[in-house]
Short mmCIF file of all heavy atoms in Angstrom, two decimals:
data_model
loop_
_atom_site.label_atom_id
_atom_site.label_comp_id
_atom_site.label_asym_id
_atom_site.label_seq_id
_atom_site.Cartn_x
_atom_site.Cartn_y
_atom_site.Cartn_z
N GLU A 293 72.78 149.97 115.59
CA GLU A 293 73.39 149.36 114.38
C GLU A 293 72.45 149.39 113.18
O GLU A 293 72.85 149.69 112.11
CB GLU A 293 73.79 147.91 114.68
CG GLU A 293 74.96 147.76 115.64
CD GLU A 293 74.56 148.00 117.10
OE1 GLU A 293 73.38 147.93 117.39
OE2 GLU A 293 75.49 148.22 117.92
N SER A 294 71.17 149.08 113.47
CA SER A 294 70.23 149.07 112.37
C SER A 294 69.95 150.48 111.82
O SER A 294 69.69 150.66 110.65
CB SER A 294 68.87 148.45 112.83
OG SER A 294 68.23 149.23 113.81
N LEU A 295 70.00 151.47 112.72
CA LEU A 295 69.87 152.87 112.28
C LEU A 295 71.06 153.34 111.43
O LEU A 295 70.89 154.02 110.43
CB LEU A 295 69.70 153.79 113.48
CG LEU A 295 68.34 153.72 114.20
CD1 LEU A 295 68.36 154.59 115.47
CD2 LEU A 295 67.19 154.13 113.27
N VAL A 296 72.28 152.98 111.89
CA VAL A 296 73.44 153.27 111.07
C VAL A 296 73.34 152.64 109.66
O VAL A 296 73.59 153.28 108.65
CB VAL A 296 74.73 152.80 111.74
CG1 VAL A 296 75.95 152.97 110.82
CG2 VAL A 296 74.97 153.58 113.04
N GLN A 297 72.91 151.37 109.68
CA GLN A 297 72.70 150.65 108.44
C GLN A 297 71.72 151.35 107.54
O GLN A 297 71.94 151.50 106.33
CB GLN A 297 72.22 149.23 108.76
CG GLN A 297 72.15 148.24 107.61
CD GLN A 297 71.70 146.91 108.05
OE1 GLN A 297 71.28 146.67 109.22
NE2 GLN A 297 71.76 145.93 107.14
N ALA A 298 70.57 151.77 108.13
CA ALA A 298 69.54 152.45 107.33
C ALA A 298 70.04 153.81 106.80
O ALA A 298 69.77 154.17 105.66
CB ALA A 298 68.32 152.64 108.17
N TYR A 299 70.75 154.57 107.66
CA TYR A 299 71.25 155.89 107.27
C TYR A 299 72.23 155.78 106.09
O TYR A 299 72.10 156.48 105.11
CB TYR A 299 71.90 156.56 108.47
CG TYR A 299 72.60 157.86 108.09
CD1 TYR A 299 71.92 158.99 107.78
CD2 TYR A 299 73.99 157.89 108.11
CE1 TYR A 299 72.56 160.18 107.41
CE2 TYR A 299 74.66 159.09 107.79
CZ TYR A 299 73.93 160.19 107.44
OH TYR A 299 74.58 161.38 107.09
N LEU A 300 73.22 154.91 106.24
CA LEU A 300 74.23 154.77 105.19
C LEU A 300 73.63 154.25 103.90
O LEU A 300 74.00 154.65 102.80
CB LEU A 300 75.38 153.86 105.64
CG LEU A 300 76.23 154.41 106.78
CD1 LEU A 300 77.28 153.41 107.19
CD2 LEU A 300 76.93 155.75 106.38
N SER A 301 72.70 153.29 104.04
CA SER A 301 72.03 152.71 102.86
C SER A 301 71.29 153.76 102.08
O SER A 301 71.36 153.83 100.82
CB SER A 301 71.12 151.57 103.30
OG SER A 301 70.41 151.04 102.19
N LYS A 302 70.53 154.65 102.82
CA LYS A 302 69.77 155.69 102.16
C LYS A 302 70.67 156.75 101.56
O LYS A 302 70.50 157.22 100.42
CB LYS A 302 68.84 156.34 103.18
CG LYS A 302 67.81 157.28 102.61
CD LYS A 302 66.68 156.53 101.97
CE LYS A 302 65.55 157.47 101.60
NZ LYS A 302 64.43 156.77 100.91
N ALA A 303 71.76 157.13 102.31
CA ALA A 303 72.63 158.20 101.86
C ALA A 303 73.45 157.80 100.64
O ALA A 303 73.73 158.61 99.76
CB ALA A 303 73.56 158.60 102.98
N LEU A 304 73.82 156.53 100.55
CA LEU A 304 74.67 156.03 99.50
C LEU A 304 73.91 155.32 98.38
O LEU A 304 74.49 154.89 97.38
CB LEU A 304 75.78 155.10 100.03
CG LEU A 304 76.83 155.81 100.98
CD1 LEU A 304 77.63 154.76 101.70
CD2 LEU A 304 77.69 156.79 100.19
N ASP A 305 72.57 155.09 98.64
CA ASP A 305 71.74 154.34 97.69
C ASP A 305 72.38 152.99 97.40
O ASP A 305 72.57 152.61 96.21
CB ASP A 305 71.50 155.13 96.42
CG ASP A 305 70.38 154.50 95.57
OD1 ASP A 305 69.60 153.77 96.11
OD2 ASP A 305 70.42 154.70 94.33
N ALA A 306 72.76 152.26 98.46
CA ALA A 306 73.46 151.03 98.31
C ALA A 306 73.11 150.10 99.46
O ALA A 306 72.59 150.53 100.51
CB ALA A 306 74.96 151.21 98.22
N GLU A 307 73.38 148.82 99.28
CA GLU A 307 73.20 147.87 100.38
C GLU A 307 74.29 148.09 101.44
O GLU A 307 75.48 148.25 101.09
CB GLU A 307 73.28 146.43 99.84
CG GLU A 307 72.04 145.96 99.14
CD GLU A 307 72.17 144.53 98.71
OE1 GLU A 307 72.85 144.29 97.69
OE2 GLU A 307 71.60 143.66 99.40
N VAL A 308 73.90 148.01 102.67
CA VAL A 308 74.85 148.04 103.79
C VAL A 308 74.49 146.88 104.72
O VAL A 308 73.35 146.78 105.15
CB VAL A 308 74.76 149.36 104.58
CG1 VAL A 308 75.71 149.35 105.75
CG2 VAL A 308 75.11 150.54 103.68
N VAL A 309 75.42 146.01 104.99
CA VAL A 309 75.15 144.84 105.77
C VAL A 309 76.08 144.80 106.97
O VAL A 309 77.20 145.35 106.96
CB VAL A 309 75.27 143.51 104.97
CG1 VAL A 309 74.30 143.49 103.84
CG2 VAL A 309 76.70 143.38 104.44
N LEU A 310 75.65 144.14 108.03
CA LEU A 310 76.48 143.94 109.22
C LEU A 310 77.30 142.70 109.08
O LEU A 310 76.79 141.64 108.72
CB LEU A 310 75.58 143.86 110.47
CG LEU A 310 74.58 145.01 110.70
CD1 LEU A 310 73.83 144.74 112.01
CD2 LEU A 310 75.32 146.35 110.75
N VAL A 311 78.58 142.82 109.31
CA VAL A 311 79.51 141.66 109.14
C VAL A 311 79.94 141.17 110.48
O VAL A 311 80.49 141.90 111.27
CB VAL A 311 80.76 142.11 108.32
CG1 VAL A 311 81.69 140.94 108.13
CG2 VAL A 311 80.33 142.68 106.98
N PRO A 312 79.66 139.90 110.77
CA PRO A 312 80.13 139.33 112.00
C PRO A 312 81.64 139.19 112.06
O PRO A 312 82.22 138.61 111.18
CB PRO A 312 79.45 137.96 112.06
CG PRO A 312 79.18 137.59 110.65
CD PRO A 312 78.97 138.92 109.96
N MET A 313 82.26 139.74 113.09
CA MET A 313 83.72 139.69 113.23
C MET A 313 84.03 139.17 114.63
O MET A 313 83.95 139.95 115.60
CB MET A 313 84.35 141.05 113.00
CG MET A 313 84.25 141.56 111.56
SD MET A 313 85.35 140.69 110.45
CE MET A 313 85.16 141.66 108.96
N SER A 314 84.32 137.90 114.74
CA SER A 314 84.53 137.30 116.03
C SER A 314 85.80 137.80 116.72
O SER A 314 85.90 137.82 117.95
CB SER A 314 84.63 135.75 115.89
OG SER A 314 85.64 135.39 114.98
N ASN A 315 86.78 138.26 115.93
CA ASN A 315 88.04 138.69 116.49
C ASN A 315 88.10 140.19 116.69
O ASN A 315 89.13 140.73 116.99
CB ASN A 315 89.20 138.27 115.61
CG ASN A 315 89.11 138.86 114.19
OD1 ASN A 315 88.04 139.24 113.77
ND2 ASN A 315 90.23 138.89 113.55
N GLN A 316 86.95 140.91 116.55
CA GLN A 316 86.93 142.33 116.73
C GLN A 316 85.79 142.76 117.60
O GLN A 316 84.70 142.16 117.61
CB GLN A 316 86.81 143.05 115.34
CG GLN A 316 88.09 143.03 114.53
CD GLN A 316 87.86 143.79 113.24
OE1 GLN A 316 87.23 143.35 112.32
NE2 GLN A 316 88.42 144.96 113.21
N ASP A 317 86.01 143.79 118.37
CA ASP A 317 84.90 144.38 119.15
C ASP A 317 84.15 145.34 118.29
O ASP A 317 84.68 145.93 117.33
CB ASP A 317 85.49 145.14 120.38
CG ASP A 317 86.16 144.18 121.34
OD1 ASP A 317 85.70 143.03 121.43
OD2 ASP A 317 87.16 144.59 121.99
N GLY A 318 82.89 145.54 118.60
CA GLY A 318 82.07 146.45 117.85
C GLY A 318 81.45 145.81 116.59
O GLY A 318 81.56 144.62 116.38
N THR A 319 80.85 146.66 115.80
CA THR A 319 80.14 146.17 114.59
C THR A 319 80.87 146.68 113.36
O THR A 319 81.21 147.87 113.26
CB THR A 319 78.69 146.64 114.57
OG1 THR A 319 78.04 146.15 115.73
CG2 THR A 319 78.00 146.15 113.35
N VAL A 320 81.10 145.80 112.40
CA VAL A 320 81.71 146.16 111.10
C VAL A 320 80.60 146.27 110.07
O VAL A 320 79.75 145.38 109.91
CB VAL A 320 82.75 145.13 110.66
CG1 VAL A 320 83.30 145.50 109.28
CG2 VAL A 320 83.88 145.05 111.67
N TYR A 321 80.58 147.42 109.38
CA TYR A 321 79.58 147.65 108.35
C TYR A 321 80.24 147.41 107.00
O TYR A 321 81.31 148.00 106.71
CB TYR A 321 79.05 149.07 108.46
CG TYR A 321 78.33 149.35 109.76
CD1 TYR A 321 79.03 149.83 110.84
CD2 TYR A 321 76.96 149.14 109.87
CE1 TYR A 321 78.39 150.09 112.04
CE2 TYR A 321 76.30 149.36 111.10
CZ TYR A 321 77.04 149.87 112.16
OH TYR A 321 76.40 150.11 113.37
#
Side-chain angles (χ1 to χ4, degrees):
E293 290 77 18
S294 65
L295 287 176
V296 172
Q297 187 178 10
Y299 171 71
L300 293 177
S301 178
K302 190 77 171 178
L304 295 167
D305 192 22
E307 284 183 280
V308 178
V309 298
L310 306 182
V311 180
M313 292 287 187
S314 57
N315 60 338
Q316 284 183 285
D317 295 327
T319 301
V320 176
Y321 299 89

